[in-house]
């Protein structure tokens, strides 16, 4: 409460405290501004003529700007239409005359405003809890669908669910290297019998042709190529085959270790900082293959769930959107 008349403040403090409200009062608008900045108040009860006639509107505007959820009730000892209009235009929820017979109404108006805000907060909390519960329910439904699909795979003898559908018994690798001997060396440590299929490309231009004609799972690009920088080839490959894992590598030389980097969007991560033997590539590439398999399984789970629960997901998404819109509206 802000009013230059301390007697009014003391009387209103007693009145509002009796109905269970915690009251902070001051005669100083500057202190009131500080209070509004550092503490949340459900209701601000402001005198329109504190500190001088009409200047309470400035404090009203400050309160609405700095604490938009605070309900502002203005008080006035003057029966002036203009002052009330300015207060309502400034965002006040009510303008009450400072007269004895109006005191009961003022008490109820402040109490209603405080209670209304509490109810809004409780409704917002309820909506957020409902939204969280729906998300948790959806996760549990997806997990149950995953378990059912895995059980079906076992019954039907599919030991690696999801692998066959994407052809990941065989991993297709495009190796972009101007050294014709690079593919035979890699094929020796990652043999065809283990599911590895290598296609060579001796230049960056040839690599783009190979990638556009096939669907590689992995593209390994040498950093230094005779026609194009390896980094440029990687960017072009990603646009042609966005799902492919792209690796930028430098082979080991005489007394110089090689290195392998993984490129994901704008990020470049060191996969193998130093290597001198092609056998050192086996474990990292096997990890990439397993990650690809897992990605295929997750995609299969998701597709199966969407197909089996299409109508439910439509209702779920519509409800989620409505809750999000309502929460955003209430927070304004």
């Amino acid at each position: 409460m802000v009013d230059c008349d301390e007697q009014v403040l003391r009387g209103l403090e007693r009145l509002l405290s009796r109905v269970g409200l915690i009251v902070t009062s001051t005669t100083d608008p500057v202190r009131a501004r500080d209070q509004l900045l550092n503490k949340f108040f459900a209701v601000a009860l402001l005198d329109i003529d504190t500190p001088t006639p009409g200047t309470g509107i400035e404090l009203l505007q400050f309160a609405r700007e700095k604490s938009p959820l605070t309900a502002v009730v203005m008080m006035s000892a003057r029966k002036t239409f203009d002052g009330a209009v300015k207060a309502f235009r400034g965002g006040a929820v009510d303008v009450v005359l400072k007269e004895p017979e109006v005191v009961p109404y003022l008490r109820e108006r402040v109490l209603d405003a405080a209670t209304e805000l509490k109810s809004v907060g409780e409704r917002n909390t309820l909506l957020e809890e409902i939204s969280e519960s729906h998300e948790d329910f959806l996760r549990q439904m997806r997990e149950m669908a995953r378990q059912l699909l895995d059980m079906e795979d076992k019954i039907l003898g599919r030991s690696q669910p999801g692998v066959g559908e994407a052809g990941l018994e065989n991993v297709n690798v495009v190796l972009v290297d101007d050294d014709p001997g690079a593919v035979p060396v890699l094929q020796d440590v990652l043999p065809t019998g283990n599911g590895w299929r290598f296609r060579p490309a001796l230049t960056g231009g040839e690599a783009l042709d190979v990638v556009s004609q096939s669907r590689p799972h992995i593209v390994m690009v040498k950093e230094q190529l005779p026609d194009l920088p390896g980094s440029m080839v990687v960017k072009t490959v990603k646009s042609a085959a966005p799902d492919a894992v792209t690796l930028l590598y430098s082979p080991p030389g005489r007394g110089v270790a090689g290195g392998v980097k993984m490129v994901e969007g704008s990020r470049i991560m060191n996969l193998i900082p130093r290597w001198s033997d092609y056998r050192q590539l086996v474990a990292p590439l096997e990890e990439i293959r397993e990650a690809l398999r897992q990605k295929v399984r997750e995609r299969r789970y998701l597709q199966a769930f969407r197909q089996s629960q299409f109508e439910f997901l439509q209702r779920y998404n519509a409800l989620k959107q409505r809750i999000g819109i309502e929460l955003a509206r209430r927070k304004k």
Side-chain angles (χ1 to χ4, degrees):
M1 293 190 303
V2 183
D3 197 302
C4 58
D5 189 333
E6 291 192 9
Q7 185 176 354
V8 170
L9 289 181
R10 300 292 82 80
L12 288 176
E13 278 184 4
R14 291 192 298 270
L15 178 74
L16 297 176
S17 297
R18 288 172 187 163
V19 293
L21 297 178
I22 300 172
V23 182
T24 300
S25 60
T26 180
T27 60
D28 183 5
V30 176
R31 183 170 180 272
R33 288 172 181 254
D34 183 66
Q35 290 281 336
L36 286 166
L37 287 175
N38 293 283
K39 184 178 179 181
F40 175 72
F41 294 90
V43 182
L45 187 56
L46 312 178
D47 177 45
I48 203 168
D49 294 327
T50 296
T52 57
T55 54
I57 298 298
E58 296 177 6
L59 184 56
L60 161 65
Q61 294 169 341
F62 180 87
R64 297 298 301 141
E65 178 183 348
K66 301 300 182 182
S67 186
L69 290 180
T70 298
V72 182
V73 177
M74 301 299 292
M75 300 181 293
S76 176
R78 296 180 291 121
K79 298 180 180 179
T80 57
F81 181 75
D82 290 344
V85 169
K86 290 180 180 179
F88 281 119
R89 286 179 176 173
V93 298
D94 205 343
V95 180
V96 182
L97 285 174
K98 294 166 67 175
E99 295 182 347
E101 60 270 21
V102 185
V103 169
Y105 171 79
L106 176 62
R107 178 192 60 196
E108 295 304 316
R109 191 65 184 89
V110 172
L111 186 59
D112 287 346
T115 304
E116 181 180 352
L117 181 63
K118 182 180 179 182
S119 299
V120 169
E122 290 174 346
R123 287 195 295 270
N124 289 350
T125 300
L126 178 61
L127 287 173
E128 290 170 355
E129 289 178 354
I130 291 173
S131 181
E132 291 174 3
S133 296
H134 283 187
E135 290 291 338
D136 186 56
F137 179 64
L138 181 62
R139 283 192 294 268
Q140 292 186 34
M141 285 191 64
R142 289 181 60 178
E143 183 58 31
M144 289 175 62
R146 178 200 301 266
Q147 293 173 5
L148 287 171
L149 198 57
D150 284 345
M151 187 180 298
E152 178 185 311
D153 288 327
K154 290 179 181 179
I155 292 173
L156 296 178
R158 293 195 292 257
S159 59
Q160 289 184 318
V163 174
E165 289 81 357
L168 280 180
E169 310 96 332
N170 297 322
V171 181
N172 299 319
V173 183
V174 174
L175 183 65
V176 188
D177 195 320
D178 58 334
D179 179 5
V183 166
V185 174
L186 266 176
Q187 195 73 76
D188 184 54
V189 297
L190 293 165
T192 302
N194 289 349
W196 292 92
R197 301 288 187 271
F198 289 90
R199 292 192 63 179
L202 300 179
T203 65
E206 185 181 353
L208 301 181
D209 290 337
V210 172
V211 168
S212 62
Q213 295 170 9
S214 62
R215 295 181 60 187
H217 301 109
I218 302 173
V219 181
M220 299 178 62
V221 183
K222 185 178 178 181
E223 287 197 53
Q224 301 296 328
L225 294 169
D227 59 338
L228 295 169
S231 57
M232 182 180 295
V233 175
V234 165
K235 290 181 180 179
T236 311
V237 163
K238 289 299 290 183
S239 63
D243 292 334
V245 176
T246 51
L247 305 176
L248 193 61
Y249 80 102
S250 56
R254 294 181 180 179
V256 179
V260 181
K261 300 173 184 175
M262 180 179 291
V263 183
E264 289 187 1
S266 60
R267 296 188 303 163
I268 299 178
M269 298 162 288
N270 280 323
L271 185 64
I272 309 175
R274 295 175 62 83
W275 66 288
S276 55
D277 189 309
Y278 277 86
R279 285 173 293 186
Q280 292 175 264
L281 300 181
V282 174
L285 288 175
E286 286 288 358
E287 289 180 3
I288 291 174
R289 174 159 73 170
E290 184 55 36
L292 289 170
R293 283 175 170 169
Q294 184 61 33
K295 186 177 181 180
V296 169
R297 284 194 288 267
E298 291 297 327
R299 187 183 297 119
R300 179 170 177 257
Y301 291 138
L302 184 59
Q303 289 175 345
F305 181 68
R306 285 174 174 171
Q307 290 174 359
S308 64
Q309 302 295 335
F310 179 75
E311 292 184 1
F312 164 77
L313 288 172
Q314 279 190 318
R315 295 197 304 271
Y316 170 84
N317 288 326
L319 181 59
K320 181 179 179 180
Q321 186 177 18
R322 286 174 57 192
I323 290 175
I325 292 172
E326 182 63 17
L327 283 171
R329 185 186 67 80
R330 290 175 181 270
K331 289 178 180 179
K332 287 184 178 179

